[in-house]
Amino acid sequence: MTASPELRTPQLASADLLRSVFRRHAAGVAVITAGGEGGPVGFTATSLTSVSVEPPLLSFGIGVGASSWPAISEAGHVGVHILGEHQQELAATFARSGADRFGAPTAWREGPEGVPVLDDVLAWLVCRVVARVPAGDHRIVLAEVLLGDPTGAGRPLVYHQGRFGGLRD
């Protein structure tokens, strides 16, 4: 019989506990984009999840206090971009409050449905928003995949312990 691991004193639920636990969870890095009345918007997300194959659905979370939320809350379509390990600075730009996310050196173009599509990513999708579900101080956005391109070259960017990095062999 294997011995159980020693349990330390557990912490009560709190924002700090949740953040501390999820810093230990490595996650892929995506950038979500949309067209907005004042121009394109976008943000870095590690909450991207495949939800369903039939129909093809995905989800991501966004804080209602985020600068991109007003546009995402109204957008009919969004772009989803899977970043490569060569795009740490791009991920940081889209995560930074007040940054000019679509200015140089960000390379992008207007794609289908008016969605901003970032250049040189591992993969991208254009999706139709089908629901926005309240979840505490966030909204979970459900979106149906319409089209995309999975053929970018490189290895994925990951987020772990508060830093962007690559996978090790």
Side-chain angles (χ1 to χ4, degrees):
M1 178 173 220
T2 319
S4 299
E6 182 181 329
L7 294 178
R8 297 185 181 121
T9 304
Q11 299 176 29
L12 293 176
S14 68
D16 286 341
L17 174 62
L18 189 64
R19 285 186 193 105
S20 294
V21 168
F22 274 89
R23 279 189 194 107
R24 295 177 178 271
H25 174 70
V29 181
V31 168
I32 310 298
T33 61
E37 283 187 19
V41 301
F43 64 97
T44 300
T46 56
S47 61
L48 182 65
T49 304
S50 172
V51 173
S52 169
V53 175
E54 270 310 314
L57 296 172
L58 57 80
S59 71
F60 59 87
I62 179 171
V64 295
S67 61
S68 296
W69 171 244
I72 298 291
S73 74
E74 300 290 327
H77 296 85
V78 294
V80 176
H81 307 82
I82 307 301
L83 300 190
E85 64 185 358
H86 63 285
Q87 294 177 302
Q88 291 184 31
E89 188 52 43
L90 182 68
T93 297
F94 276 83
R96 196 170 25 253
S97 181
D100 180 4
R101 296 170 179 163
F102 290 90
T106 302
W108 65 282
R109 64 196 178 287
E110 185 174 312
E113 305 296 341
V115 170
V117 175
L118 303 176
D119 290 349
D120 199 29
V121 294
L122 296 187
W124 61 267
L125 299 166
V126 171
C127 305
R128 181 178 60 83
V129 175
V130 296
R132 295 171 185 86
V133 181
D137 62 355
H138 278 61
R139 296 297 179 267
I140 304 302
V141 178
L142 289 169
E144 181 178 12
V145 175
L146 300 179
L147 58 101
D149 181 357
T151 62
R155 295 168 54 100
L157 182 63
V158 295
Y159 187 72
H160 181 251
Q161 294 285 29
R163 294 190 306 253
F164 296 112
L167 295 175
R168 287 186 274 181
D169 289 329

